[in-house]
């Protein structure tokens, strides 16, 4: 399909892995767009939770922050932040945590804290927020981010959020019972961890994307699945729904109502 | 019982140089007017705590009021990084800034434990996370039943907390609705609590029995400041001024532009100015 | 998603011999109908947990369903002692009953920790209290910051919890209002949760945003049983039948009279009988 | 005043120590009657908290249980039981805890657990409920109970609730910062702990009550204050208000509304 922007492909591919039975802890940005696109297309009953305490939200436009008013207006219920983290996240009630990343390594460990040394940072990033415990408490973790050599790196500067550690059985060895990262959707491809090594492996390339394009935007030697396939093209419905959502969002955030 | 008084008096009576202070709000109900009053009064050497320090903390840090920041996410939500906080951490401008960094779960548990009068919060957390290695205030205890290692953090117990809320009644009871965030915990964990409200009503007879109400005797001061959350919002009163959050990114990018903006919009302003700022964001009545 | 089904089916599918089971309610919303259904189905060897076991636990214990009771206050509130529980503890009738006893603060913290997925609750408690010497499940941890000794109890995580609530919507979301007690924690701490409700409504559009709502996916089964809390009460539907609580003192004083009452009012009754029992206690519409 | 029942005198004397600034955690029975009498007479703004989660209640009749519907209907707010115990009780927000007792010793230690051995009880009592942490978390503790040799004993069978332990600085030695029992009102007298030994000492005798009557209904050798006085007679307002309250309560609890 011509005219599909890689960001759109990323959001659409990510939305497809969600379904109506999922209870999804949503990070702001690309995860939020994917989750809401899923809700507006094939997963109308998906439960979206934002860490501001809004459970089961159905916003008409994408929130700018995790605590926009519409999240509460459309929620099944809105709880306090301690309750959100204690009963709902730590309580193991969330099946999928959907995270973005500033830096990521091949085992799905995430850095959103600093570029450079922690105590003398080159760039101070926002920090972990909910991610460290989202990553260990949710049934599994989906990651979505745009590929770049600055983002997908051999060694991240700081382990904000534990993925598969050094790979293999690292999570079990830490006593974790949850699956950790099971999927990554980028603007170029869909990745899944190797069942043994846990190294992210490309499963499908988005339409028109080459292996070389993936490797050029990734800081480690990329592994491709033996059954490497092409991500299905966006459908008309997916693309229209996403574009309408983005347009409504842009209008709403531009200024006063 | 809460003293119902002007914001200037409440800040003067309750915020002191060197205090451990929270100006809480989780996107919703951020007490901008109270923080701006603190800036005007020139308080120094504050240890500022908040789960999600955003642009109003960027302003306080940029004005040199803070010696330390305790937080779990420091950013302009949906927009980007905080440039004044970065300048302080990366370059020591206008002063160096000590940080104590946690995860949201830890901070939420720590405020909760503070409200509950406990010295620590104990929870499954920080597994595999490097923060535990760079923050000496993240320790652990061993479960005496199973031997499992659990994270332990000090409870958050500010000297004083500032929050914004929808309304108070004449007795000084306070009602908070919508995204209630960590407002109740911030008030109950603190030694003193100042609440700005949109209005004071006669009574709460029509309020839901399980709504989030802080009784007057749990609050130190109540101040009427319509629009006091702007550019944050107050559910049922006015919406979020998203454009102001976006605009902050540019304003804060340059030290001089930042200072000029603060002079015009904060130092030369007063608590009476907020009502006007939210006029175009008011909900339909 | 919650299965909306008859109470008999929900109990049969979710309560098994030997289970660790909670039938919670703090004076308000006690799930009498659900407990009576469990009695009719003849479940055995249960470990029953509740902060305030009152007459419905007296009935279950008297019918020989329980091998152990976990509690913090065992009495007929405002009336006196529980005679069937006493008979079991003091005389082993109809069977000996193991007990694990806590304070309310400990139980409240332990349910809260259970809902929060934590193995233990840690709090300042039991100072000078002799319970800590007779209950091996009360241990301590040392605060790694201050050295203070804090009480530690295992979290409460029932196999199954039963609660009563005002209503559900068609999706199976559940609303609880008024004295919400420990209902939410009992449900979220449990592996399975069965909720009896007064009615099912189309939607919750008019419900307060911060009301206590349990989403359908956090509940196993929803059963419509009007009057299902009787002689306890349901805020907004019917009042407490205080006379029945008072009368229980005499009914339960004698083993034979107790058995006869159980036969007539429980074993030979059905979930459809509760609506009639609350008729005269209904609130004005 | 003739015709005043000792129970009435007890409730009235207990009500007098409360005032409008107090935040009071109320036990059921005699404490509840005293607290509500105070509210209906000289302390209209007193905050009454019941452990069911009702904060700032003003019931028209006395509740039979700590969770009667009217407590919620008239409350400033009603919170969950975990919140009640965590934020309000443990959080140190309550100034006065008002407790009853089955057995009590001269240092205000309370037994409401068992008569006899804990593991082989002669009589199994209801247990501590909220009392163990009420006694340590509230600013101070008031006790109200009817005197009897079975109730006021030299040695209680079980320390459900810690008062002043073995007396003297026992509380400080345990690390407690709260005052513990500072007052006991019985049907015969008002008692306060000796400032040094912490032994309960009779401060005032209710009208018409003799030292002998107090001793006969107490299991330890009673100490009387040097300044022993007589409890002021109930006023007309106190007596009428209490009797009206009791009459309303009796009617309300007799059966269906």
């Amino acid at each position: 399909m011509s005219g599909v922007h890689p960001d759109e492909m990323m959001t659409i591919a990510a939305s497809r892995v969600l379904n109506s039975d999922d209870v999804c802890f949503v990070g702001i940005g690309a995860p939020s767009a994917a989750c809401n696109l899923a809700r507006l297309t094939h997963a109308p009953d998906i439960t979206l939770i934002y860490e501001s305490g809004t459970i089961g939200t159905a916003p008409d436009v994408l929130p700018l922050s995790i605590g926009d008013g519409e999240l509460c207006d459309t929620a099944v219920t809105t709880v306090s932040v301690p309750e959100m983290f204690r009963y709902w996240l730590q309580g193991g009630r969330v099946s999928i945590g959907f995270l973005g990343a500033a830096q990521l390594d091949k085992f799905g460990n995430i850095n959103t804290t600093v570029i450079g040394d922690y105590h003398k940072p080159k760039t101070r990033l926002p920090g972990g927020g909910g991610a460290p415990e989202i990553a260990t408490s949710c049934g599994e973790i989906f990651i979505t981010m745009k590929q770049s050599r600055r983002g997908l790196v051999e060694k991240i500067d700081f382990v904000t959020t534990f993925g598969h550690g050094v790979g293999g059985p690292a999570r079990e060895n830490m006593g974790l019972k949850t699956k950790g990262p099971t999927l990554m959707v980028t603007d170029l491809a869909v990745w899944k961890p190797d069942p043994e090594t846990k190294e992210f492996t490309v499963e499908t390339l988005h339409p028109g994307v080459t292996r070389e394009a993936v490797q050029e935007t990734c800081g480690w030697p990329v592994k491709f699945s033996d059954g490497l396939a092409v991500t299905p093209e966006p459908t008309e419905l997916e693309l229209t729904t996403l574009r309408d959502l983005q347009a409504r969002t842009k209008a709403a955030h531009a200024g006063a109502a | 019982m809460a003293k119902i008084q002007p914001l200037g008096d409440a800040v003067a009576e309750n915020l002191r140089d060197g205090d451990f202070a929270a100006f809480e709000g989780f996107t919703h109900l951020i007490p901008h007017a109270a923080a701006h009053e603190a800036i005007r009064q020139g308080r120094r050497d504050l240890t500022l705590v908040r789960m999600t320090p955003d642009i109003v903390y960027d302003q306080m840090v940029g004005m040199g009021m803070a010696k330390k920041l305790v937080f779990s996410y420091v950013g302009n939500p949906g927009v980007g990084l905080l440039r004044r906080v970065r300048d302080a951490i990366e370059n020591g401008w206008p002063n160096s800034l000590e940080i104590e960094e946690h995860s949201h779960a830890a901070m939420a548990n720590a405020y909760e434990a503070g409200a509950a009068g406990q010295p620590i919060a104990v929870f499954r957390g920080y597994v595999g996370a490097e923060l535990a290695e760079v923050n000496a205030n993240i320790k652990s205890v061993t479960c005496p039943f199973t031997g499992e290692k659990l994270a332990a953090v000090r409870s958050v117990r500010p000297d004083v907390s500032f929050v914004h809320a929808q309304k108070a009644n004449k007795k000084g009871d306070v009602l908070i609705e919508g995204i209630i965030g960590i407002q109740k915990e911030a008030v109950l964990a603190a030694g003193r609590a100042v609440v700005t409200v949109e209005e004071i009503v006669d009574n709460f007879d029509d309020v839901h029995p399980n709504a989030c109400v802080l009784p007057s005797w749990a609050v130190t001061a109540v101040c009427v400041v319509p629009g006091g959350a702007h550019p944050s919002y107050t559910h049922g009163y006015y919406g979020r001024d998203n454009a102001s959050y976006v605009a902050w990114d540019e304003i804060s990018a340059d030290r001089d532009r930042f200072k000029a903006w603060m002079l015009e919009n904060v130092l030369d302003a007063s608590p009476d100015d907020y009502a006007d700022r939210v006029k175009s964001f008011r909900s339909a009545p």
Side-chain angles (χ1 to χ4, degrees), chain B residues 219-248:
Chain B
V219 171
T220 313
V222 168
C223 314
V224 183
V225 187
H230 177 270
S232 170
Y233 72 104
T234 302
H235 182 100
Y237 288 81
Y238 48 88
R240 191 168 187 263
D241 180 0
N242 284 321
S244 282
Y245 279 90
V246 173
W248 181 252

Side-chain angles (χ1 to χ4, degrees), chain A residues 51-52 64-69 73 78 81-82 85-86 90 118 122-124 126-127 129-130 133 158-159 174 253, chain B residues 26-27 72-74 78 81 86 90 101 103-105 109 125-126 128 130 178-179 181-182 185 233 235 240 242 281:
Chain A
E51 64 196 11
S52 55
L64 185 67
S65 78
I66 41 68
D68 277 18
D73 290 337
T78 299
V81 164
F85 280 92
R86 287 185 66 77
Q90 297 176 188
Y118 182 79
K122 186 159 159 288
T123 306
R124 174 65 227 194
E133 283 78 18
F158 191 86
V159 182
M174 306 282 286
H253 293 175
Chain B
F26 208 84
T27 307
S72 42
Y73 185 93
V74 57
L81 307 177
R86 279 190 62 187
E90 297 168 13
E101 183 172 7
S103 68
H104 274 353
N109 277 288
Y126 287 125
E130 202 170 339
I179 292 179
I182 196 107
E185 289 74 17
Y233 72 104
H235 182 100
R240 191 168 187 263
N242 284 321
F281 302 97

Side-chain angles (χ1 to χ4, degrees), chain A residues 1 4 18 32 137 231 245:
Chain A
M1 187 175 290
V4 177
L18 302 168
S32 181
S137 301
T231 314
L245 175 64

Side-chain angles (χ1 to χ4, degrees), chain A residues 144-161:
Chain A
T144 180
M145 68 184 291
K146 288 168 80 162
Q147 290 196 203
S148 76
R149 285 195 167 252
R150 290 200 319 176
L152 306 184
V153 298
E154 187 71 51
K155 185 170 167 26
I156 58 180
D157 290 5
F158 191 86
V159 182
T160 308
T161 303

